[in-house]
Amino acid sequence: MKQFGGSVLFLDRSDINTDEIIPAKYLTENDKKALQPYLLEDLKLEGFNPKTDIPGTKVIISRENFGCGSSREHAPWALEVNGIYVVIAANFARIFRQNMFNNGLLAIEIDKKSIADMFRTFADKDTECKIVINDDGTAKVKLIAGSLSKSYPFKIDDFEKALLDNDGWVGYAAAKY
């Protein structure tokens, strides 16, 4: 089972689109592993270098509208093959968010005020993330940097949790049908 949490990469921008997540020239690939070196290679963000910033990253925290643009399953695949199973943002493009869950990945929506607090408090620090999803439906993101820690609640519905528990849509369908 995937481990949800770990080292955080802060991408301080809204509207990071699927062409920036994985450039269209790689969409002919049908093997996830082939996408690995190209994750975020076209993302233009001051101070960001995909070759040095992605290795070891397990969680991305961004602003709004993450995954907008063309609908493509390759974008979550590129995240997954790099060991990034969690993206946290104020909101996501609808199809991208569903593709994340369909692939057994976690797309966490947290209000803009809390996202701003995450950036203000943790973006300049070596930050770890822990995800807690309880059986009663409550869930939280806990960010930790040294002795500093803060928790932020989020919602996950029963179907999304079932997709995570079954490593995505294929596993869910196999278990149900």
Side-chain angles (χ1 to χ4, degrees):
M1 179 164 208
K2 294 180 177 108
Q3 295 297 313
F4 297 104
S7 182
V8 178
L9 172 62
F10 287 88
L11 298 177
D12 195 3
R13 205 187 95 197
S14 295
D15 304 315
I16 294 175
N17 67 60
T18 54
D19 289 320
E20 292 169 310
I21 297 168
I22 189 68
K25 63 187 173 189
Y26 303 116
L27 297 184
T28 58
E29 299 293 344
N30 57 12
D31 176 24
K32 293 178 187 181
K33 191 72 172 158
L35 301 172
Q36 188 172 15
Y38 310 114
L39 177 66
L40 298 170
E41 80 171 14
D42 284 353
L43 179 64
K44 304 297 183 233
L45 187 61
E46 187 177 332
F48 173 70
N49 179 339
K51 299 289 185 223
T52 58
D53 293 341
I54 291 173
T57 293
K58 301 297 178 195
V59 176
I60 290 175
I61 299 177
S62 189
R63 297 288 182 169
E64 297 177 65
N65 202 26
F66 192 90
C68 58
S70 303
S71 168
R72 59 181 62 146
E73 196 168 30
H74 288 71
W77 288 358
L79 292 166
E80 180 182 20
V81 76
N82 278 280
I84 300 170
Y85 304 143
V86 179
V87 178
I88 301 167
N91 53 51
F92 294 86
R94 182 185 55 81
I95 293 172
F96 175 83
R97 185 172 192 277
Q98 190 58 56
N99 281 337
M100 287 282 288
F101 281 100
N102 287 349
N103 283 281
L105 308 176
L106 189 50
I108 298 174
E109 291 183 335
I110 294 187
D111 64 272
K112 288 183 202 179
K113 183 179 173 189
S114 294
I115 293 288
D117 184 68
M118 289 176 181
F119 274 92
R120 186 174 43 256
T121 308
F122 294 99
D124 62 344
K125 297 171 179 60
D126 185 17
T127 304
E128 292 288 316
C129 176
K130 292 186 179 184
I131 307 296
V132 178
I133 300 173
N134 299 309
D135 290 336
D136 68 358
T138 60
K140 68 180 176 180
V141 168
K142 183 176 184 179
L143 297 181
I144 305 153
S147 61
L148 177 63
S149 72
K150 282 189 169 186
S151 292
Y152 305 88
F154 69 94
K155 294 179 181 170
I156 183 168
D157 67 34
D158 290 340
F159 182 63
E160 292 166 342
K161 187 171 180 327
L163 289 173
L164 293 177
D165 290 343
N166 288 282
D167 200 28
W169 177 250
V170 173
Y172 176 81
K176 285 285 195 188
Y177 305 107

